[in-house]
Amino acid sequence: MAYLLHSPLCLLIAQLVVIIITARLLGLAARKIHQPLVIAEVVAGILLGPSLLGAVAPDVKAALFPTASLGILGMLSQVGLLLFMFLVGLEMDLGLLRGRGRASVLISHTSIVAPFALGTVLALYIYPTLMPEGVAFSSFTLFMGVAMSITAFPVLARILTERRLLRTKVGAVTITCAAVDDVTAWCILAFVVSIVRATALTEAVVTTVLAVAYTVGMLTVVRPFLARLAARGTGREGLTQNVVAFTFVLLFLSAWATELIGIHALFGAFLMGAIIPREGGFARVLAEKLEDIVVIVLLPTFFALSGLRTHIGLLNTPEAWVQCLLIIVVACLGKFGGSYVAARWTGLGWRESTALGILMNTRGLMELIVLNIGLDLGVISPTLFTMMVIMALVTTFMTTPILQLVYPPELLAQELVEPPPTDMRATLPEGFSVLMCVAFDRSGPGMAQIAGALVGKQNPADRLYGLQLHRPAERTSTLVEGGDDLESPSALDPLLARGRDHGLNVRPMSFVSGEPAHDICSVAEVKDVDLILLGWHKTLFGQALLGGMVHDVMKDAPADVAVLVSRDLGAVRRVLVPFCGSLHDEVAVRLARRMAFAIGAEITILRIRVRDANAPRVDAFLADMAADRVTVVEADDDGNSAVDLVVKAAAGQDLVILGATPLSADEIMTRCPTSFLVVHHRERPQTAARRPRPLTEPQAGAVANG
Amino acid sequence: MHFGATLRLLRVDAGVSLRALAQKIGVSSAYLSRVENGHDQAPTPDRLLAIARELELPPTLLIDLAQRVSPFVARYLEDVPAANSLFLEIARRKLNAAQLARVHAFLEAEFPARSVARSTTPRLHQLLAPERVILKLSCSYLGDAIDVAAVRLAGAAPGLNAAVIAGEIRERERESPTGIGHGVAVPHALTPDIQPVAALVTLARPLQVATPDDIPLQMLLVILGGGKAPLELLARAARLATPETVAELCQASSPEAALGRVRSVESEFD
């Protein structure tokens, strides 16, 4: 034995092995009788402590859990608790608090006041026998009050999670109440602790003020910051380790700050978890990364530690057991009764109120923490500690069966709370929709760049479609079919991948089409898009830019058409728009202006005076388009042709947006190495009988009615 | 095909409530609801006849869909018991569709039927055309597929644009999904004053949407316009929803091949 446990590390590892195995084995039994895992873990701790192992095999216990080793185990369990509270915060949806705040505060405060009052009355009765020497009666009374009013938020969360109730209405109200409850109870505890430590009353007040300030700071400063971090840091590739590391640093800093303030470090961890943004799977991925190690490895150590401090043997008189029973009755009466009455008063039905009351009566883990603090402070004796641990166990144990009795799972399942709607942020006054037609995979990334520049941060009114049309199979035989181009990665993939990088949600479509130009126009019409984006490719024969299929699309399109000539188009920062006053040029200016709004691109409009242009109209239009980041430059007429002017001005620009007429895109393009977007104004008059456009496309969840 | 889902589809499009239909055919609405949800077997032939009468459908169509023995056959066998052995012979030989067609042809030649009243509703393959067959569509939303089908349907519906058509069909789909099992859905807009046309869409990647039998969608038959007997069109479309037909249509690499397949399936029935 001594050889096996010869170094502190060996000892710690052995302890972990024993603790985890015991907890898991008992966990299996607990599951059989539908009890939460917590019960098994607490009982496992008690069994490993002096109550059983210490009594049956004192040598083994002394070798396995020597007093000197408990410090290390204690630290480990504290870290486990921190991470667990963070997880609990992650599980909690602050959105659920909204609109239910008043009821929750009322219920939870009633459910503190009632047991607190009963606890102090109880203290009057038990202090002659159970109060340790040298403790002020006021401290003892206050502590008993707090100990009675604690609700086990984490255990509650685990019962709710294990029984999949977290998203039901009762679950939501309860978890919210428990959260409010615990914050309040911990404030009182901090207050009590400072009184016990017998420093000044002012210190307790300072602690409370600091705690409130800290919470407000986390909600108003750190939370928006994290939302931005999550929006940037989560692609499909998941979180980078740097982001995770950064989150953990923040978590520990937060825990540190609350510990310094004087309200346990656990609250910093919980608050940090609660403000992690839910969007984009950030919270989910974090929770997945953490859950197993925390729940399986670290948390049981805390329970084991609490069990080691529990001596059931101390309850050796009938009187002690009567007192223990009394404590249990008072605890239930105060907590359950208080919550039930308050819940009924706020308008919940009897069933829901009973469920809520019995859930709030769960004390488990939190009570253990409080009791450990009390024992450390010497406010309560080991005997009372043991009684209170039994009380915590019993109240936790009775929760599940009674809950099942008053509120069968089927009934709860019916009340699944609808997830709150995602908030919509508008960056631009109205939605914009683009149909991107991809023929070859290499044109995809450039199109995604353009789309990203046009919509910026996509909101639900911005719709992006990727369309790929396959040529009909030329052979009709099905024998040589399989493994055809349809099976190979689609040309849409690079578009979708780049779109994802920019946080764009592009809806892909592809089908076989014999008349691509016609189908592009029809899809554009049915999708009611604002812009059709086509790619341009060098063809075998020296074809003009705007010929062939592009020409057909432009002729019939129910929307403006843009042809992208991408020359490794990256981020769109500087855009040049040569402007001669044609309708196509006006579309070009509008698109460029949109880019200025959406992503803050610098737009230069190069105004070229043309003889037959209607100058006052052009002036009015340009004045209308004036905005930040949009600069109008008059082209110096130094005797060069308009094309030369454009080529000169295009140097250093990322993108040139050009009207289809009057300048010759072909000529400028051959002399200029930048990327081009050649735009064409819709010719067809808008049909009168147009349906109101669908403002939002359904999100992935509501696929069925697409 | 999922009979319950098809029945619900027909009932919804006939504008009859579950309760009303149950009352008319003399069953409880709970039973009818179980049938529609596939928790109960297809009703007996007599009840099917009653349902067909209420929905104004040709009774044989509904009996075909439910794969029940037609009461006509049952009644004939009662009258002429000797015919029983003939049916037994056919069953024992396990004649397939092609062989049955030959028996059929022999019967036609030998005993020409006395002017059987045949339905005048157009067959599905007559409503389809190569340009309205969209093969290997790939998209991530049912709505997108409906839109693409609407694009092709617009070409055959003078005076309507694709957006209007798509809007109508999506609206109907939103009210009650038209999945009828085995990966088939029949989105439709049964406007009576439009000459019926249909589009066939096969999907390159099955769409994960809610369907009665949880098989993802592989094929859409989009129907626009109803003519005189819109429900009959839907019921005919439902007959295509067998695993073999869906698989074969999804394999088809040219519109003509797909159309041919539809035609041959339809000819097996009547």
Side-chain angles (χ1 to χ4, degrees), chain A residues 181-194:
Chain A
D181 204 315
D182 264 7
V183 174
T184 319
W186 278 84
C187 288
I188 303 175
L189 182 69
F191 181 75
V192 173
V193 168
S194 55

Side-chain angles (χ1 to χ4, degrees), chain A residues 22 26 40-50 300 303-308:
Chain A
T22 318
L26 283 174
E41 285 164 341
V42 177
V43 173
I46 292 176
L47 295 186
L48 290 176
F303 291 115
L305 212 63
S306 304
L308 285 174

Side-chain angles (χ1 to χ4, degrees), chain A residues 85-299:
Chain A
M85 283 306 274
F86 177 68
L87 269 181
V88 170
L90 275 182
E91 294 262 350
M92 208 170 133
D93 208 336
L94 282 185
L96 289 172
L97 279 169
R98 271 180 225 122
R100 267 191 281 265
R102 202 189 59 83
S104 302
V105 170
L106 183 79
I107 297 175
S108 61
H109 282 190
T110 316
S111 69
I112 283 191
V113 171
F116 192 93
L118 287 175
T120 47
V121 173
L122 180 71
L124 285 175
Y125 171 70
I126 57 171
Y127 87 95
T129 46
L130 292 172
M131 191 170 84
E133 294 291 316
V135 175
F137 176 67
S138 59
S139 307
F140 179 72
T141 314
L142 283 173
F143 185 83
M144 281 306 287
V146 174
M148 285 293 173
S149 41
I150 285 289
T151 281
F153 184 78
V155 178
L156 197 64
R158 282 178 81 170
I159 291 182
L160 291 176
T161 316
E162 279 174 19
R163 304 196 65 81
R164 302 192 189 289
L165 302 180
L166 206 53
R167 288 209 163 267
T168 63
K169 190 176 159 212
V170 169
V173 175
T174 313
I175 199 101
T176 315
C177 283
V180 179
D181 204 315
D182 264 7
V183 174
T184 319
W186 278 84
C187 288
I188 303 175
L189 182 69
F191 181 75
V192 173
V193 168
S194 55
I195 284 185
V196 172
R197 283 179 179 152
T199 47
L201 186 70
T202 48
E203 197 177 301
V205 175
V206 168
T207 301
T208 315
V209 170
L210 279 177
V212 170
Y214 173 78
T215 311
V216 171
M218 286 294 273
L219 287 177
T220 55
V221 181
V222 182
R223 192 175 185 209
F225 170 72
L226 282 175
R228 233 171 296 158
L229 182 76
R232 283 174 57 101
T234 54
R236 198 154 180 235
E237 295 73 29
L239 287 96
T240 63
Q241 290 198 329
N242 282 337
V243 175
V244 177
F246 183 70
T247 315
F248 276 119
V249 170
L250 275 184
L251 156 65
F252 288 124
L253 284 180
S254 172
W256 192 18
T258 45
E259 182 72 32
L260 286 181
I261 289 172
I263 48 169
H264 213 279
L266 295 185
F267 267 91
F270 170 69
L271 199 58
M272 188 66 207
I275 64 171
I276 292 279
R278 297 295 177 280
E279 295 84 23
F282 190 68
R284 193 177 42 76
V285 177
L286 266 178
E288 276 169 11
K289 282 181 192 274
L290 262 181
E291 195 142 21
D292 282 356
I293 181 96
V294 173
V295 171
I296 297 176
V297 179
L298 295 178
L299 210 50

Side-chain angles (χ1 to χ4, degrees), chain B residues 169-226:
Chain B
I169 298 176
R170 276 163 169 249
E171 189 56 38
R172 166 66 189 82
E173 187 73 22
R174 215 186 321 273
E175 278 163 19
S176 146
T178 59
I180 51 169
H182 290 312
V184 180
V186 286
H188 56 271
L190 303 178
T191 326
D193 50 355
I194 299 172
Q195 270 303 309
V197 281
L200 174 70
V201 182
T202 64
L203 299 171
R205 277 180 300 146
L207 267 180
Q208 300 290 343
V209 299
T211 55
D213 52 3
D214 294 325
I215 298 177
L217 281 190
Q218 291 169 334
M219 185 178 113
L220 305 178
L221 264 162
V222 188
I223 299 174
L224 171 71

